[in-house]
Structures are given as structure tokens and as C-alpha cells.
Amino acid sequence: MTGSKDLEKLVEYYHNKKLAHAYLITTNNIPKCLEVLLKVIKNIFCVNNYEDNCNKCSLCHLIDLKNLPSLKIIEPDGEFIKKEQILDLKNTFAKSNQFTNESIYIIKNAEKLNSPSANTMLKFLEEPEGNVIGFFITTEKDNVLPTIQSRCELISANFLEDESTDITNVEYQELSQKVIEYLKDIEVEKKKSILCNNEYFIDLEKADVKNFLSMALSIYKSTLNNKINGTKENPTFLSNLSIKNIQRKMQLIIEILQEINYNVNIELLLDKFVLEMEGINNEVI
Ligand SMILES: [Zn+2]
């Protein structure tokens, strides 16, 4: 699974006593990131030799139930993460540390910390008393308050829609560049499908083609989310597309991804893909 490797390094850091007090994790998928992070935490705390789905020990069990007193997950209450939520976290940690050597908090959507809650948070970050470890997760690093950013170690954990293969963050970035070039060829250059596909897909394994299309899906998906939320950051060549246009293209990619599983001729399928993309662009939507 993409992104997992980047987070799994934390287990090693922990055992080598090199784990920092706070991490800012940038990701394209918060639920997935949280899921993997919880596995990492189980791996750290587990009293057995941790294996996936450890159900032998009470610690893993309590983490699964989101009921371990020394592990707190905070998410926005309405529009922001509120000061009271951070105060509550501090109180909880002051009382409960008997289960584990460290207390861990996870802040989902760290960009939603506003000034009051971030100020309350800073004390944790500046004077880490006891063994407290914090993970701030965000999809919008640039919107996380600088006071928080500057006190955290940065890591990235990005995930593909289709999780059939495990690639590192560097590979993810490279793939993402390549897919953006490909989409530019389709969206802007309007290259003929055969020419376009030959350039990109020659000698690619089926799994690579799936990764490629999953990445394309991720790019359209985040463009769509940014459009809906009014955030900037869209690749400029996609910014003029309508919401409906993007939704149609996402649907098409999902269909193509399903068809690949049925072992059809990949070349024909990719040509069909580019032709249909063109068809969507020719409709007025
Ligand atoms: Zn366990």
C-alpha cells in the first residue's frame, strides 16, 4: 500500500529512540493515513510481537475500539478544532498514563486548528513533559499555522486509489509528474490517442497501468475537492473544467480500472479511454 512505508519507518525510529515529539504528516487521504498510523501505533505498543490484526493483547484491542486512554484522536468540531478540545486532551493525559509508556495524540485536519486552539496546543509542543507524541495530519500543509509547522518534523504519506502495489513517496511523486504530463497531453495538447498512449504505456505491466490510472483518478478527485471547497492548488490546466466534466472523467477512469481486472486487451482499453475523454470534453457540460 502506498504511503505505508513512509509511516512504517516510525516504528523503527521508535525502537531506535529517534522518534520526534511531533510530526506533521501531509497526505492526500486522511482516513487511509489514520488507518495506517493506528497500525504503526499498535506496532509500537503491542505487548506481543505485533502482527496485522493482533487480537491477542488488550492494548491492540483497546486501540481498535478507540478506547485506549493514552491515545487520543481529535478532529474538527464544526469548522475548527476548538480550544476546549485541546484542554480536554491535556486533562485526559494528565490523568491516564498507566497503560503505555507514551501518550499519543493525533490531530486530524491540523489545518483546522485556529489561533486559540493552536496556542493551547503549543505548550505540548514546546515543553513536552512526560512522553507525549503528537501526530498532525493534513491535506493542506500550507494552511497549517506556521507555529505548528515549525515545531513538527515533516513527513509525507500519500496513497493511490488502487492499493495493489506498494510504492514509496519518491516513486509516488515521480508517477504523479508523469501522469500530469499525460493528462496535459489529453486535456491541452489533444494528442491522438494512439500516439499519446504509445508514449506513456509502452512496455508497462498491467499493475503499472493500474497505478497510472489510479493516480489520474486521484488528481481529478483532488481537483474536484478543491473546486468544491474553493481552494486553489489545482493544476492550472484542469482549473477550467466544470465539476460535471471532472465527475464524468472520474467515472470513466473507475470503469476502465474495473475493466482492466477482466483481462481485456490493455492497448485497446487505453485507446478507448482517451477517445472517451475526448468525447466528454466535446460535450458541453
Ligand atoms: Zn497486540
Side-chain angles (χ1 to χ4, degrees), residues 1-2 4 7 25 27-39 66 73 75 106-109 137-139 157 159 161 163 221 225:
M1 197 193 310
T2 341
S4 305
L7 289 173
I25 308 173
T27 182
N28 62 344
N29 186 335
I30 290 185
K32 199 82 231 170
C33 182
L34 181 66
E35 185 190 317
V36 178
L37 184 60
L38 286 175
K39 268 194 191 172
K66 306 250 171 14
I73 302 173
E75 53 193 332
I106 299 172
I107 310 283
K108 272 169 84 177
N109 297 92
I137 306 179
T138 185
T139 52
F159 300 87
E161 296 293 319
E163 297 164 355
K221 192 174 167 190
N225 285 340

Side-chain angles (χ1 to χ4, degrees), residues 161-194:
E161 296 293 319
D162 179 273
E163 297 164 355
S164 51
T165 49
D166 198 347
I167 63 176
T168 64
N169 200 50
V170 175
E171 289 165 336
Y172 181 93
Q173 300 299 345
E174 283 170 4
L175 180 61
S176 149
Q177 273 314 311
K178 209 169 153 194
V179 175
I180 284 177
E181 290 307 313
Y182 177 68
L183 294 180
K184 261 189 205 162
D185 279 350
I186 301 177
E187 295 280 5
V188 186
E189 306 289 332
K190 317 247 183 258
K191 278 197 192 171
K192 286 268 174 284
S193 60
I194 293 170

Side-chain angles (χ1 to χ4, degrees), residues 42 46-48 50 54 56-57 59-60:
K42 282 199 266 183
C46 182
V47 294
N48 300 314
Y50 177 78
C54 169
K56 292 171 227 147
C57 78
L59 282 177
C60 287

Side-chain angles (χ1 to χ4, degrees), residues 55-103:
N55 49 16
K56 292 171 227 147
C57 78
S58 58
L59 282 177
C60 287
H61 190 58
L62 284 171
I63 292 173
D64 283 338
L65 296 175
K66 306 250 171 14
N67 216 1
L68 182 70
S70 50
L71 172 67
K72 276 279 169 195
I73 302 173
I74 291 180
E75 53 193 332
D77 176 8
E79 203 185 337
F80 292 107
I81 294 168
K82 294 181 178 144
K83 187 181 167 184
E84 292 70 31
Q85 292 177 272
I86 308 297
L87 287 172
D88 188 47
L89 169 73
K90 286 188 168 185
N91 288 337
T92 314
F93 279 1
K95 278 184 267 166
S96 63
N97 206 10
Q98 66 272 42
F99 282 94
T100 51
N101 292 331
E102 291 81 15
S103 296

